[in-house]
Amino acid sequence: MHLQDIDKSQYRQRFRIVFVAIVIMLTIVSLGTSTLLIALLGTPGGSHFWLNLAGVVVGAAAVVLTLIKLRQHPYLREVVYVWDLKQQLNQIYRKQRHIEPLVEKNDPDAIAIMYFFYRGSQQLYQLDDNTITMDTIALKLRALEHRIEDLKINITTDSYRKTMLERF
């Protein structure tokens, strides 16, 4: 995965629209399916919990299938990019305790992974206006950049490959 320039205002606008569309679709499909199932299979005065749950499951499946089908649509480019970035950063985060000791041993792959992690986290936090941990990320990134300079190695965000995580 490569970091891309994203227009923050366009991303936020499209994310809101997609989020509202998901909520509306989930609500309509879930309620419609639940109502239909209760009308067809329900008993008067009985519990309809399982039929309502089935409606929610059908609604969630409809939303997921729709998102998969529309994933490549140009309108969703920024939203899908941020979703993918979040997944990638989460995968790195889960393996971070195995990667960081190798950064201390100057392992180039570990350094490339953490460099991508810090840069990607910065971008994500800026897009989502999450400024709480920006200072911590900036400090860690500066320290890593100094290490890269001291080692005289060429590491960029494009140095990162998802397959690098398989080692950890």
Side-chain angles (χ1 to χ4, degrees), residues 89-159:
L89 295 176
N90 192 24
Q91 288 176 357
I92 295 170
Y93 178 77
R94 288 193 307 257
K95 296 186 177 206
Q96 191 172 359
R97 63 186 169 102
H98 300 292
I99 297 168
E100 285 179 337
L102 292 176
V103 169
E104 297 301 318
K105 293 180 181 178
N106 300 325
D107 181 280
D109 286 349
I111 292 171
I113 292 168
M114 292 312 297
Y115 186 75
F116 177 86
F117 179 75
Y118 294 142
R119 285 284 185 193
S121 295
Q122 267 187 333
Q123 182 184 35
L124 183 62
Y125 295 161
Q126 287 169 350
L127 289 172
D128 287 343
D129 286 333
N130 180 356
T131 57
I132 295 172
T133 56
M134 283 294 278
D135 293 338
T136 305
I137 293 291
L139 288 173
K140 290 180 177 183
L141 179 60
R142 265 195 300 272
L144 188 60
E145 288 172 338
H146 289 305
R147 180 180 294 272
I148 291 168
E149 288 173 19
D150 291 346
L151 293 171
K152 296 177 179 31
I153 57 177
N154 185 21
I155 300 284
T156 67
T157 56
D158 290 336
S159 303

Side-chain angles (χ1 to χ4, degrees), residues 39-87:
L40 294 175
L41 305 172
T43 57
S47 173
H48 301 130
F49 173 78
W50 294 108
L51 298 174
N52 286 324
L53 181 63
V56 172
V57 169
V58 169
V63 167
V64 168
L65 291 173
T66 302
L67 288 174
I68 289 170
K69 186 166 179 63
L70 296 177
R71 181 177 173 82
Q72 300 302 322
H73 194 281
Y75 186 83
L76 295 178
R77 185 183 77 80
E78 294 86 3
V79 175
V80 169
Y81 166 76
V82 172
W83 284 341
D84 289 344
L85 178 60
K86 286 180 180 183
Q87 284 182 325

